Structure formats: C-alpha cells, structure tokens
Amino acid sequence: MSDKNPKKNKVQEPTSAYEVKKQQGIGADFNFDEEFKKGLSVEEFKAEIHKRINAYPWKK
C-alpha cells in the first residue's frame, strides 16, 4: 500500500471547544488578589487553610 500522496495518510482531529465552568462550593468566592493584599501571617494562613480543609465535605 504505497500511496504517492502522503497527505492522504494524515489524520485530522476535530477542533473542540471546552466549556469553562464557574467554581462552585467552598472556594467559589475566593479572590486571590484580595487575599494577597491582606498579607496574612504564616499562623493566620495555616489557621485559614485548616478551617477550609475541615469545612470541605470529605466522604467517609
């Protein structure tokens, strides 16, 4: 099967547009720029992270 036209052997993938979803749940209102402006200390950051992790609905 030797084709003289090499373009026939190439596969074309369809272009697909992916839908971007808004984040839902605990972090939906998180604004990185505002949090960065606040300038949390290390202790405040750790406390906030632990609070958010504990608030997450982990499946048991």
Side-chain angles (χ1 to χ4, degrees):
M1 295 179 75
S2 59
D3 286 334
K4 295 189 181 203
N5 190 353
K7 289 188 178 185
K8 284 187 177 181
N9 294 334
K10 292 190 178 183
V11 176
Q12 293 287 331
E13 290 188 24
T15 57
S16 48
Y18 294 100
E19 192 175 312
V20 177
K21 292 183 180 179
K22 293 270 184 178
Q23 186 179 9
Q24 298 175 359
I26 294 174
D29 59 344
F30 182 78
N31 185 346
F32 180 79
D33 293 328
E34 291 298 319
E35 294 292 328
F36 190 75
K37 285 180 187 177
K38 286 182 185 177
L40 297 177
S41 69
V42 174
E43 293 81 17
E44 291 171 331
F45 174 75
K46 285 183 182 180
E48 181 67 23
I49 289 299
H50 287 292
K51 182 180 85 173
R52 291 182 187 201
I53 289 173
N54 291 333
Y56 194 79
W58 299 103
K59 294 183 181 180
K60 293 183 180 181

